[in-house]
PDB file of all heavy atoms in Angstrom:
ATOM      1  N   ASP A  57      21.793  -6.234 -85.070  1.00 98.00           N
ATOM      2  CA  ASP A  57      21.699  -7.092 -83.893  1.00 98.00           C
ATOM      3  C   ASP A  57      22.747  -6.788 -82.830  1.00 98.00           C
ATOM      4  O   ASP A  57      22.788  -7.458 -81.794  1.00 98.00           O
ATOM      5  CB  ASP A  57      21.788  -8.561 -84.318  1.00 98.00           C
ATOM      6  CG  ASP A  57      20.552  -9.012 -85.075  1.00 98.00           C
ATOM      7  OD1 ASP A  57      19.520  -8.334 -84.955  1.00 98.00           O
ATOM      8  OD2 ASP A  57      20.618 -10.023 -85.790  1.00 98.00           O
ATOM      9  N   ARG A  58      23.586  -5.802 -83.068  1.00 97.00           N
ATOM     10  CA  ARG A  58      24.490  -5.312 -82.027  1.00 97.00           C
ATOM     11  C   ARG A  58      23.851  -4.155 -81.270  1.00 97.00           C
ATOM     12  O   ARG A  58      24.438  -3.635 -80.323  1.00 97.00           O
ATOM     13  CB  ARG A  58      25.812  -4.841 -82.648  1.00 97.00           C
ATOM     14  CG  ARG A  58      26.577  -5.899 -83.423  1.00 97.00           C
ATOM     15  CD  ARG A  58      27.739  -5.295 -84.187  1.00 97.00           C
ATOM     16  NE  ARG A  58      27.279  -4.305 -85.153  1.00 97.00           N
ATOM     17  CZ  ARG A  58      28.083  -3.571 -85.912  1.00 97.00           C
ATOM     18  NH1 ARG A  58      29.401  -3.727 -85.831  1.00 97.00           N
ATOM     19  NH2 ARG A  58      27.601  -2.684 -86.760  1.00 97.00           N
ATOM     20  N   GLY A  59      22.688  -3.746 -81.758  1.00 97.00           N
ATOM     21  CA  GLY A  59      22.044  -2.574 -81.184  1.00 97.00           C
ATOM     22  C   GLY A  59      22.516  -1.287 -81.833  1.00 97.00           C
ATOM     23  O   GLY A  59      22.192  -0.194 -81.390  1.00 97.00           O
ATOM     24  N   THR A  60      23.286  -1.425 -82.915  1.00 97.00           N
ATOM     25  CA  THR A  60      23.825  -0.269 -83.634  1.00 97.00           C
ATOM     26  C   THR A  60      22.864   0.158 -84.740  1.00 97.00           C
ATOM     27  O   THR A  60      22.397  -0.671 -85.520  1.00 97.00           O
ATOM     28  CB  THR A  60      25.186  -0.623 -84.278  1.00 97.00           C
ATOM     29  OG1 THR A  60      26.109  -0.988 -83.253  1.00 97.00           O
ATOM     30  CG2 THR A  60      25.744   0.550 -85.067  1.00 97.00           C
ATOM     31  N   THR A  61      22.561   1.438 -84.790  1.00 98.00           N
ATOM     32  CA  THR A  61      21.702   1.970 -85.841  1.00 98.00           C
ATOM     33  C   THR A  61      22.551   2.659 -86.895  1.00 98.00           C
ATOM     34  O   THR A  61      23.297   3.588 -86.597  1.00 98.00           O
ATOM     35  CB  THR A  61      20.678   2.969 -85.276  1.00 98.00           C
ATOM     36  OG1 THR A  61      19.849   2.314 -84.305  1.00 98.00           O
ATOM     37  CG2 THR A  61      19.786   3.514 -86.386  1.00 98.00           C
ATOM     38  N   VAL A  62      22.434   2.171 -88.116  1.00 98.00           N
ATOM     39  CA  VAL A  62      23.157   2.760 -89.237  1.00 98.00           C
ATOM     40  C   VAL A  62      22.210   3.717 -89.957  1.00 98.00           C
ATOM     41  O   VAL A  62      21.092   3.337 -90.302  1.00 98.00           O
ATOM     42  CB  VAL A  62      23.655   1.683 -90.214  1.00 98.00           C
ATOM     43  CG1 VAL A  62      24.463   2.320 -91.342  1.00 98.00           C
ATOM     44  CG2 VAL A  62      24.494   0.651 -89.485  1.00 98.00           C
ATOM     45  N   LYS A  63      22.682   4.933 -90.186  1.00 97.00           N
ATOM     46  CA  LYS A  63      21.860   5.930 -90.871  1.00 97.00           C
ATOM     47  C   LYS A  63      22.643   6.504 -92.042  1.00 97.00           C
ATOM     48  O   LYS A  63      23.784   6.951 -91.884  1.00 97.00           O
ATOM     49  CB  LYS A  63      21.474   7.057 -89.909  1.00 97.00           C
ATOM     50  CG  LYS A  63      20.575   6.621 -88.755  1.00 97.00           C
ATOM     51  CD  LYS A  63      20.209   7.805 -87.871  1.00 97.00           C
ATOM     52  CE  LYS A  63      19.303   7.374 -86.728  1.00 97.00           C
ATOM     53  NZ  LYS A  63      18.914   8.525 -85.858  1.00 97.00           N
ATOM     54  N   LEU A  64      22.037   6.475 -93.214  1.00 98.00           N
ATOM     55  CA  LEU A  64      22.637   7.043 -94.408  1.00 98.00           C
ATOM     56  C   LEU A  64      21.634   7.974 -95.082  1.00 98.00           C
ATOM     57  O   LEU A  64      20.428   7.848 -94.886  1.00 98.00           O
ATOM     58  CB  LEU A  64      23.043   5.934 -95.385  1.00 98.00           C
ATOM     59  CG  LEU A  64      24.099   4.928 -94.892  1.00 98.00           C
ATOM     60  CD1 LEU A  64      24.289   3.826 -95.937  1.00 98.00           C
ATOM     61  CD2 LEU A  64      25.414   5.611 -94.588  1.00 98.00           C
ATOM     62  N   ASP A  65      22.147   8.897 -95.889  1.00 97.00           N
ATOM     63  CA  ASP A  65      21.277   9.853 -96.561  1.00 97.00           C
ATOM     64  C   ASP A  65      20.393   9.191 -97.611  1.00 97.00           C
ATOM     65  O   ASP A  65      19.337   9.720 -97.967  1.00 97.00           O
ATOM     66  CB  ASP A  65      22.117  10.953 -97.223  1.00 97.00           C
ATOM     67  CG  ASP A  65      22.808  11.836 -96.194  1.00 97.00           C
ATOM     68  OD1 ASP A  65      22.325  11.895 -95.044  1.00 97.00           O
ATOM     69  OD2 ASP A  65      23.835  12.457 -96.543  1.00 97.00           O
ATOM     70  N   LYS A  66      20.848   8.045 -98.118  1.00 97.00           N
ATOM     71  CA  LYS A  66      20.058   7.332 -99.119  1.00 97.00           C
ATOM     72  C   LYS A  66      20.280   5.832 -98.966  1.00 97.00           C
ATOM     73  O   LYS A  66      21.222   5.401 -98.304  1.00 97.00           O
ATOM     74  CB  LYS A  66      20.429   7.779-100.530  1.00 97.00           C
ATOM     75  CG  LYS A  66      21.872   7.498-100.913  1.00 97.00           C
ATOM     76  CD  LYS A  66      22.158   8.023-102.313  1.00 97.00           C
ATOM     77  CE  LYS A  66      23.601   7.718-102.739  1.00 97.00           C
ATOM     78  NZ  LYS A  66      23.854   6.286-102.898  1.00 97.00           N
ATOM     79  N   VAL A  67      19.405   5.064 -99.586  1.00 97.00           N
ATOM     80  CA  VAL A  67      19.555   3.617 -99.552  1.00 97.00           C
ATOM     81  C   VAL A  67      20.876   3.249-100.231  1.00 97.00           C
ATOM     82  O   VAL A  67      21.129   3.670-101.363  1.00 97.00           O
ATOM     83  CB  VAL A  67      18.381   2.924-100.283  1.00 97.00           C
ATOM     84  CG1 VAL A  67      18.606   1.414-100.331  1.00 97.00           C
ATOM     85  CG2 VAL A  67      17.072   3.249 -99.597  1.00 97.00           C
ATOM     86  N   PRO A  68      21.741   2.503 -99.563  1.00 97.00           N
ATOM     87  CA  PRO A  68      23.046   2.198-100.147  1.00 97.00           C
ATOM     88  C   PRO A  68      22.955   1.268-101.350  1.00 97.00           C
ATOM     89  O   PRO A  68      22.130   0.350-101.392  1.00 97.00           O
ATOM     90  CB  PRO A  68      23.789   1.515 -98.987  1.00 97.00           C
ATOM     91  CG  PRO A  68      22.699   0.923 -98.147  1.00 97.00           C
ATOM     92  CD  PRO A  68      21.562   1.897 -98.227  1.00 97.00           C
ATOM     93  N   THR A  69      23.788   1.530-102.327  1.00 95.00           N
ATOM     94  CA  THR A  69      23.894   0.651-103.487  1.00 95.00           C
ATOM     95  C   THR A  69      25.297   0.053-103.572  1.00 95.00           C
ATOM     96  O   THR A  69      25.473  -1.026-104.136  1.00 95.00           O
ATOM     97  CB  THR A  69      23.582   1.406-104.786  1.00 95.00           C
ATOM     98  OG1 THR A  69      24.438   2.557-104.887  1.00 95.00           O
ATOM     99  CG2 THR A  69      22.126   1.854-104.809  1.00 95.00           C
ATOM    100  N   LYS A  70      26.285   0.744-103.007  1.00 97.00           N
ATOM    101  CA  LYS A  70      27.656   0.207-102.986  1.00 97.00           C
ATOM    102  C   LYS A  70      27.843  -0.534-101.664  1.00 97.00           C
ATOM    103  O   LYS A  70      28.457  -0.044-100.722  1.00 97.00           O
ATOM    104  CB  LYS A  70      28.684   1.313-103.175  1.00 97.00           C
ATOM    105  CG  LYS A  70      28.573   2.028-104.513  1.00 97.00           C
ATOM    106  CD  LYS A  70      29.855   2.738-104.889  1.00 97.00           C
ATOM    107  CE  LYS A  70      30.928   1.769-105.320  1.00 97.00           C
ATOM    108  NZ  LYS A  70      32.152   2.445-105.801  1.00 97.00           N
ATOM    109  N   ILE A  71      27.253  -1.710-101.629  1.00 98.00           N
ATOM    110  CA  ILE A  71      27.276  -2.541-100.427  1.00 98.00           C
ATOM    111  C   ILE A  71      28.417  -3.548-100.524  1.00 98.00           C
ATOM    112  O   ILE A  71      28.628  -4.160-101.572  1.00 98.00           O
ATOM    113  CB  ILE A  71      25.946  -3.300-100.274  1.00 98.00           C
ATOM    114  CG1 ILE A  71      24.763  -2.327-100.224  1.00 98.00           C
ATOM    115  CG2 ILE A  71      25.969  -4.189 -99.037  1.00 98.00           C
ATOM    116  CD1 ILE A  71      23.407  -3.016-100.359  1.00 98.00           C
ATOM    117  N   VAL A  72      29.126  -3.722 -99.428  1.00 98.00           N
ATOM    118  CA  VAL A  72      30.119  -4.790 -99.322  1.00 98.00           C
ATOM    119  C   VAL A  72      29.638  -5.706 -98.208  1.00 98.00           C
ATOM    120  O   VAL A  72      29.279  -5.244 -97.123  1.00 98.00           O
ATOM    121  CB  VAL A  72      31.520  -4.244 -99.006  1.00 98.00           C
ATOM    122  CG1 VAL A  72      32.500  -5.389 -98.713  1.00 98.00           C
ATOM    123  CG2 VAL A  72      32.032  -3.403-100.169  1.00 98.00           C
ATOM    124  N   ALA A  73      29.612  -7.008 -98.467  1.00 98.00           N
ATOM    125  CA  ALA A  73      29.054  -7.937 -97.482  1.00 98.00           C
ATOM    126  C   ALA A  73      29.825  -9.245 -97.440  1.00 98.00           C
ATOM    127  O   ALA A  73      30.476  -9.640 -98.417  1.00 98.00           O
ATOM    128  CB  ALA A  73      27.580  -8.221 -97.800  1.00 98.00           C
ATOM    129  N   PHE A  74      29.750  -9.902 -96.293  1.00 98.00           N
ATOM    130  CA  PHE A  74      30.237 -11.276 -96.218  1.00 98.00           C
ATOM    131  C   PHE A  74      29.476 -12.061 -97.270  1.00 98.00           C
ATOM    132  O   PHE A  74      28.287 -11.847 -97.496  1.00 98.00           O
ATOM    133  CB  PHE A  74      29.980 -11.854 -94.831  1.00 98.00           C
ATOM    134  CG  PHE A  74      30.319 -13.319 -94.731  1.00 98.00           C
ATOM    135  CD1 PHE A  74      31.630 -13.744 -94.791  1.00 98.00           C
ATOM    136  CD2 PHE A  74      29.311 -14.266 -94.627  1.00 98.00           C
ATOM    137  CE1 PHE A  74      31.944 -15.090 -94.744  1.00 98.00           C
ATOM    138  CE2 PHE A  74      29.608 -15.616 -94.566  1.00 98.00           C
ATOM    139  CZ  PHE A  74      30.937 -16.029 -94.629  1.00 98.00           C
ATOM    140  N   VAL A  75      30.154 -12.972 -97.936  1.00 98.00           N
ATOM    141  CA  VAL A  75      29.584 -13.620 -99.115  1.00 98.00           C
ATOM    142  C   VAL A  75      28.235 -14.291 -98.848  1.00 98.00           C
ATOM    143  O   VAL A  75      27.318 -14.227 -99.690  1.00 98.00           O
ATOM    144  CB  VAL A  75      30.593 -14.630 -99.715  1.00 98.00           C
ATOM    145  CG1 VAL A  75      30.920 -15.742 -98.731  1.00 98.00           C
ATOM    146  CG2 VAL A  75      30.090 -15.188-101.035  1.00 98.00           C
ATOM    147  N   GLY A  76      28.061 -14.908 -97.679  1.00 98.00           N
ATOM    148  CA  GLY A  76      26.788 -15.548 -97.372  1.00 98.00           C
ATOM    149  C   GLY A  76      25.655 -14.550 -97.226  1.00 98.00           C
ATOM    150  O   GLY A  76      24.506 -14.835 -97.597  1.00 98.00           O
ATOM    151  N   VAL A  77      25.966 -13.381 -96.683  1.00 98.00           N
ATOM    152  CA  VAL A  77      24.969 -12.309 -96.572  1.00 98.00           C
ATOM    153  C   VAL A  77      24.602 -11.815 -97.963  1.00 98.00           C
ATOM    154  O   VAL A  77      23.423 -11.609 -98.288  1.00 98.00           O
ATOM    155  CB  VAL A  77      25.510 -11.151 -95.709  1.00 98.00           C
ATOM    156  CG1 VAL A  77      24.564  -9.948 -95.766  1.00 98.00           C
ATOM    157  CG2 VAL A  77      25.706 -11.604 -94.266  1.00 98.00           C
ATOM    158  N   ALA A  78      25.612 -11.617 -98.803  1.00 98.00           N
ATOM    159  CA  ALA A  78      25.370 -11.164-100.175  1.00 98.00           C
ATOM    160  C   ALA A  78      24.506 -12.162-100.932  1.00 98.00           C
ATOM    161  O   ALA A  78      23.608 -11.783-101.693  1.00 98.00           O
ATOM    162  CB  ALA A  78      26.699 -10.961-100.896  1.00 98.00           C
TER     163      ALA A  78
END
Side-chain angles (χ1 to χ4, degrees):
D57 290 341
R58 301 171 299 177
T60 299
T61 300
V62 183
K63 295 182 179 181
L64 298 175
D65 292 337
K66 62 182 182 66
V67 176
T69 55
K70 298 201 74 175
I71 303 168
V72 172
F74 174 69
V75 62
V77 171

